[in-house]
Amino acid sequence: MESNSVPVRVLVVGTGFIAAQHAAAIHAEPRLELAGVVDIDPGRAAAASRANGGVPWFTDLGAALEETGAGGCVVCTPNDTHAAIAVQVAAAGAHLLIEKPLATDVAGARRAVAAFARAGRVLMPAHSHRHYDYALTVRDVIRSGDLGAVDMVRLSILGGWIWPDWRGWMLDPARSGGHALHNGVHLLDLVTWWTGEVPETVYARGRRQTAAELGIHDYLEMTVAFAGGALAVCEMSRGHRPASYARRDVLVTGTGGILTLPWDAEAGTVTGETGTALLPPGGTDGFATQIAAWADALTGAPPAVTGEDGLLAVAMGVAAERSIAAGVPVRVADVLEEAA
């Protein structure tokens, strides 16, 4: 692993919407240094370079790795490119923080995990919601035992922020993997991480609720049944009208209490037999926390999100997409057995 005293030089690969947040997080992390940006479009690469102090820009990842000697990559490219890029980064001996999903299918996710196992480098899928205060608070309360044994988790993340326009590869299921993989995977990963249980089945329904012209379902209902008996109900949208609509709610019920955490996170409570307690408000930038966790991993700490976590999230997303198509619950183990 790298020394704590020398910043690890990092490439940002792909310069679309989410790349600016990753680059800003790298600039704010003293253990990392932005070595350059990579995009197959020279105009976008040059623009990203200008926005980041004139760092070197490239249109070829292999050339970028060789010329900069970068020790790590943050990948923000379209989902269908993730598996091949992950294998290339591992072969170059670099570490990787890669946008979710790890791949658009189980076989691709397995290739990525295996490549990093062989290379002995850090692979951390960017399930950024895990790093926000609301998610950390829910995890800490569940693990504290205050709620007893968890019976049910209900997580809603609803919004209309794809408007007034959202065009590009995200609308092509062949490239994104479908909305359950592109954005729904955040919720599937969170409820699994929170409960610490093994997901058995995913039953999902999708609707083009407010955007019939979209090629994907903009609204998802996903129910996860866990091996220990708990149930998670996940509700997600990106196309709500009006476009300003945004809401997140968390409800966790257990044998010992109930946790509620509405959008602003300032009125979250835990209610048990002895009364009600307030949860602390949160405001940490999840991207900054995530990049710090990755930097920790580069110096020997366990990754906050492992490649296996990313593989499981992919399997759950695939199960959700298949359930929408078939109208029946899909076993996660059956999906995981593919390409095993």
Side-chain angles (χ1 to χ4, degrees):
M1 296 296 172
E2 281 69 14
S3 166
N4 284 315
S5 60
V6 179
V8 178
R9 290 168 57 73
V10 176
L11 293 167
V12 170
V13 184
T15 60
F17 167 73
I18 207 70
Q21 289 172 272
H22 285 291
I26 292 169
H27 289 309
E29 173 50 61
R31 292 170 293 178
L32 304 178
E33 176 185 344
L34 184 62
V37 294
V38 185
D39 198 296
I40 58 173
D41 184 304
R44 289 200 301 262
S49 169
R50 290 193 294 273
N52 288 282
V55 296
W57 61 269
F58 305 87
T59 57
D60 179 79
L61 175 58
L65 285 164
E66 182 175 348
E67 291 184 31
T68 65
C73 293
V74 175
V75 169
C76 315
T77 58
N79 300 346
D80 63 328
T81 69
H82 286 182
I85 289 177
V87 171
Q88 183 180 5
V89 171
H95 305 292
L96 178 62
L97 175 67
I98 187 166
E99 265 298 330
K100 52 71 201 167
L102 178 55
T104 53
D105 57 27
V106 171
R110 285 196 186 282
R111 286 197 300 275
V113 171
F116 277 87
R118 288 193 300 271
R121 293 303 189 187
V122 173
L123 167 62
M124 192 169 122
H127 286 285
S128 57
H129 278 246
R130 285 200 193 190
H131 302 278
Y132 279 91
D133 284 335
Y134 88 92
L136 293 165
T137 297
V138 174
R139 181 206 59 176
D140 290 346
V141 170
I142 291 176
R143 293 185 182 181
S144 74
D146 288 349
L147 300 180
V150 172
D151 300 309
M152 191 269 286
V153 178
R154 192 182 72 203
L155 171 61
S156 297
I157 301 179
L158 308 174
W161 46 82
I162 68 172
W163 305 112
D165 192 17
W166 198 37
R167 296 290 181 268
W169 61 266
M170 298 81 76
L171 297 182
D172 181 355
R175 302 212 67 193
S176 70
H179 214 179
L181 273 162
H182 185 59
N183 279 315
V185 74
H186 274 309
L187 290 78
L188 297 170
D189 175 69
L190 271 183
V191 297
T192 303
W193 181 57
W194 283 342
T195 62
E197 291 204 25
V198 177
E200 283 197 328
T201 63
V202 179
Y203 176 49
R205 297 192 302 174
R207 295 202 301 269
R208 293 177 177 84
Q209 179 166 299
T210 57
E213 68 269 36
L214 294 179
I216 58 173
H217 299 100
D218 62 283
Y219 177 86
L220 300 176
E221 299 167 354
M222 302 177 291
T223 301
V224 182
F226 292 100
L231 201 69
V233 180
C234 304
E235 183 186 26
M236 190 218 75
S237 72
R238 288 294 184 271
H240 259 91
R241 302 275 193 171
S244 58
Y245 185 82
R247 186 167 185 81
R248 182 188 63 224
D249 283 301
V250 181
L251 170 70
V252 183
T253 67
T255 56
I258 298 171
L259 178 151
T260 64
L261 192 68
W263 173 266
D264 58 15
E266 293 180 350
T269 59
V270 173
T271 302
E273 298 296 341
T274 59
T276 300
L278 288 174
L279 294 173
T284 300
D285 185 299
F287 279 82
T289 308
Q290 177 175 255
I291 207 74
W294 188 54
D296 289 343
L298 302 192
T299 53
V305 185
T306 67
E308 292 292 340
D309 293 334
L311 169 61
L312 179 59
V314 168
M316 296 177 75
V318 170
E321 290 290 338
R322 291 182 182 175
S323 178
I324 292 170
V328 296
V330 173
R331 283 173 43 83
V332 177
D334 291 344
V335 178
L336 277 170
E337 287 176 3
E338 298 173 5

